[in-house]
PDB file of all heavy atoms in Angstrom:
ATOM      1  N   ASN B 772     107.266 119.230  99.353  1.00 92.00           N
ATOM      2  CA  ASN B 772     108.099 120.133  98.565  1.00 92.00           C
ATOM      3  C   ASN B 772     107.326 120.804  97.443  1.00 92.00           C
ATOM      4  O   ASN B 772     107.637 121.930  97.067  1.00 92.00           O
ATOM      5  CB  ASN B 772     109.284 119.374  97.985  1.00 92.00           C
ATOM      6  CG  ASN B 772     110.347 119.125  99.033  1.00 92.00           C
ATOM      7  OD1 ASN B 772     110.357 119.783 100.072  1.00 92.00           O
ATOM      8  ND2 ASN B 772     111.218 118.185  98.786  1.00 92.00           N
ATOM      9  N   ILE B 773     106.329 120.099  96.892  1.00 90.00           N
ATOM     10  CA  ILE B 773     105.528 120.701  95.827  1.00 90.00           C
ATOM     11  C   ILE B 773     104.863 121.977  96.355  1.00 90.00           C
ATOM     12  O   ILE B 773     104.865 123.019  95.720  1.00 90.00           O
ATOM     13  CB  ILE B 773     104.456 119.709  95.346  1.00 90.00           C
ATOM     14  CG1 ILE B 773     105.086 118.587  94.538  1.00 90.00           C
ATOM     15  CG2 ILE B 773     103.405 120.415  94.522  1.00 90.00           C
ATOM     16  CD1 ILE B 773     105.231 118.877  93.073  1.00 90.00           C
ATOM     17  N   ARG B 774     104.336 121.884  97.583  1.00 85.00           N
ATOM     18  CA  ARG B 774     103.727 123.074  98.190  1.00 85.00           C
ATOM     19  C   ARG B 774     104.735 124.199  98.359  1.00 85.00           C
ATOM     20  O   ARG B 774     104.458 125.358  98.060  1.00 85.00           O
ATOM     21  CB  ARG B 774     103.193 122.745  99.576  1.00 85.00           C
ATOM     22  CG  ARG B 774     101.933 121.983  99.607  1.00 85.00           C
ATOM     23  CD  ARG B 774     101.732 121.503 101.029  1.00 85.00           C
ATOM     24  NE  ARG B 774     100.795 120.407 101.083  1.00 85.00           N
ATOM     25  CZ  ARG B 774      99.483 120.572 101.110  1.00 85.00           C
ATOM     26  NH1 ARG B 774      98.980 121.779 101.132  1.00 85.00           N
ATOM     27  NH2 ARG B 774      98.687 119.547 101.127  1.00 85.00           N
ATOM     28  N   TYR B 775     105.910 123.830  98.899  1.00 85.00           N
ATOM     29  CA  TYR B 775     106.929 124.856  99.110  1.00 85.00           C
ATOM     30  C   TYR B 775     107.354 125.467  97.794  1.00 85.00           C
ATOM     31  O   TYR B 775     107.492 126.682  97.667  1.00 85.00           O
ATOM     32  CB  TYR B 775     108.152 124.258  99.808  1.00 85.00           C
ATOM     33  CG  TYR B 775     107.950 124.022 101.275  1.00 85.00           C
ATOM     34  CD1 TYR B 775     108.069 122.767 101.815  1.00 85.00           C
ATOM     35  CD2 TYR B 775     107.632 125.088 102.122  1.00 85.00           C
ATOM     36  CE1 TYR B 775     107.873 122.548 103.166  1.00 85.00           C
ATOM     37  CE2 TYR B 775     107.438 124.880 103.467  1.00 85.00           C
ATOM     38  CZ  TYR B 775     107.558 123.605 103.983  1.00 85.00           C
ATOM     39  OH  TYR B 775     107.366 123.406 105.306  1.00 85.00           O
ATOM     40  N   ALA B 776     107.574 124.582  96.799  1.00 89.00           N
ATOM     41  CA  ALA B 776     108.080 125.058  95.513  1.00 89.00           C
ATOM     42  C   ALA B 776     107.129 126.063  94.906  1.00 89.00           C
ATOM     43  O   ALA B 776     107.537 126.965  94.174  1.00 89.00           O
ATOM     44  CB  ALA B 776     108.282 123.874  94.566  1.00 89.00           C
ATOM     45  N   ALA B 777     105.829 125.915  95.250  1.00 88.00           N
ATOM     46  CA  ALA B 777     104.841 126.808  94.656  1.00 88.00           C
ATOM     47  C   ALA B 777     105.053 128.261  95.065  1.00 88.00           C
ATOM     48  O   ALA B 777     104.645 129.174  94.344  1.00 88.00           O
ATOM     49  CB  ALA B 777     103.438 126.346  95.057  1.00 88.00           C
ATOM     50  N   ILE B 778     105.659 128.496  96.233  1.00 87.00           N
ATOM     51  CA  ILE B 778     105.825 129.891  96.633  1.00 87.00           C
ATOM     52  C   ILE B 778     107.232 130.415  96.393  1.00 87.00           C
ATOM     53  O   ILE B 778     107.491 131.604  96.534  1.00 87.00           O
ATOM     54  CB  ILE B 778     105.476 130.108  98.126  1.00 87.00           C
ATOM     55  CG1 ILE B 778     106.260 129.170  99.013  1.00 87.00           C
ATOM     56  CG2 ILE B 778     103.987 129.958  98.347  1.00 87.00           C
ATOM     57  CD1 ILE B 778     106.141 129.522 100.485  1.00 87.00           C
ATOM     58  N   LEU B 779     108.153 129.519  96.011  1.00 89.00           N
ATOM     59  CA  LEU B 779     109.540 129.964  95.888  1.00 89.00           C
ATOM     60  C   LEU B 779     109.699 131.060  94.843  1.00 89.00           C
ATOM     61  O   LEU B 779     110.577 131.905  94.947  1.00 89.00           O
ATOM     62  CB  LEU B 779     110.454 128.786  95.554  1.00 89.00           C
ATOM     63  CG  LEU B 779     110.585 127.756  96.680  1.00 89.00           C
ATOM     64  CD1 LEU B 779     111.588 126.694  96.311  1.00 89.00           C
ATOM     65  CD2 LEU B 779     111.001 128.434  97.979  1.00 89.00           C
ATOM     66  N   GLY B 780     108.843 131.017  93.831  1.00 86.00           N
ATOM     67  CA  GLY B 780     108.929 132.030  92.787  1.00 86.00           C
ATOM     68  C   GLY B 780     108.787 133.434  93.351  1.00 86.00           C
ATOM     69  O   GLY B 780     109.211 134.415  92.743  1.00 86.00           O
ATOM     70  N   TYR B 781     108.210 133.522  94.515  1.00 85.00           N
ATOM     71  CA  TYR B 781     107.984 134.812  95.124  1.00 85.00           C
ATOM     72  C   TYR B 781     109.279 135.573  95.364  1.00 85.00           C
ATOM     73  O   TYR B 781     109.315 136.798  95.317  1.00 85.00           O
ATOM     74  CB  TYR B 781     107.243 134.635  96.452  1.00 85.00           C
ATOM     75  CG  TYR B 781     106.420 135.833  96.755  1.00 85.00           C
ATOM     76  CD1 TYR B 781     105.141 135.946  96.230  1.00 85.00           C
ATOM     77  CD2 TYR B 781     106.940 136.880  97.503  1.00 85.00           C
ATOM     78  CE1 TYR B 781     104.398 137.073  96.466  1.00 85.00           C
ATOM     79  CE2 TYR B 781     106.202 138.005  97.733  1.00 85.00           C
ATOM     80  CZ  TYR B 781     104.931 138.106  97.221  1.00 85.00           C
ATOM     81  OH  TYR B 781     104.202 139.228  97.427  1.00 85.00           O
ATOM     82  N   VAL B 782     110.364 134.839  95.642  1.00 86.00           N
ATOM     83  CA  VAL B 782     111.651 135.521  95.789  1.00 86.00           C
ATOM     84  C   VAL B 782     112.479 135.382  94.515  1.00 86.00           C
ATOM     85  O   VAL B 782     113.670 135.635  94.513  1.00 86.00           O
ATOM     86  CB  VAL B 782     112.453 134.973  96.995  1.00 86.00           C
ATOM     87  CG1 VAL B 782     111.761 135.317  98.290  1.00 86.00           C
ATOM     88  CG2 VAL B 782     112.662 133.478  96.878  1.00 86.00           C
ATOM     89  N   GLY B 783     111.832 134.954  93.432  1.00 85.00           N
ATOM     90  CA  GLY B 783     112.528 134.902  92.147  1.00 85.00           C
ATOM     91  C   GLY B 783     113.194 133.572  91.881  1.00 85.00           C
ATOM     92  O   GLY B 783     114.058 133.464  91.014  1.00 85.00           O
ATOM     93  N   ALA B 784     112.789 132.537  92.636  1.00 86.00           N
ATOM     94  CA  ALA B 784     113.445 131.245  92.461  1.00 86.00           C
ATOM     95  C   ALA B 784     112.660 130.319  91.534  1.00 86.00           C
ATOM     96  O   ALA B 784     112.745 129.107  91.659  1.00 86.00           O
ATOM     97  CB  ALA B 784     113.676 130.583  93.820  1.00 86.00           C
ATOM     98  N   GLY B 785     111.876 130.861  90.619  1.00 83.00           N
ATOM     99  CA  GLY B 785     111.220 130.040  89.599  1.00 83.00           C
ATOM    100  C   GLY B 785     109.931 129.386  90.043  1.00 83.00           C
ATOM    101  O   GLY B 785     109.636 129.277  91.228  1.00 83.00           O
TER     102      GLY B 785
END
Side-chain angles (χ1 to χ4, degrees):
Chain B
N772 283 342
I773 288 272
R774 284 168 199 277
Y775 284 121
I778 54 169
L779 293 185
Y781 208 85
V782 293

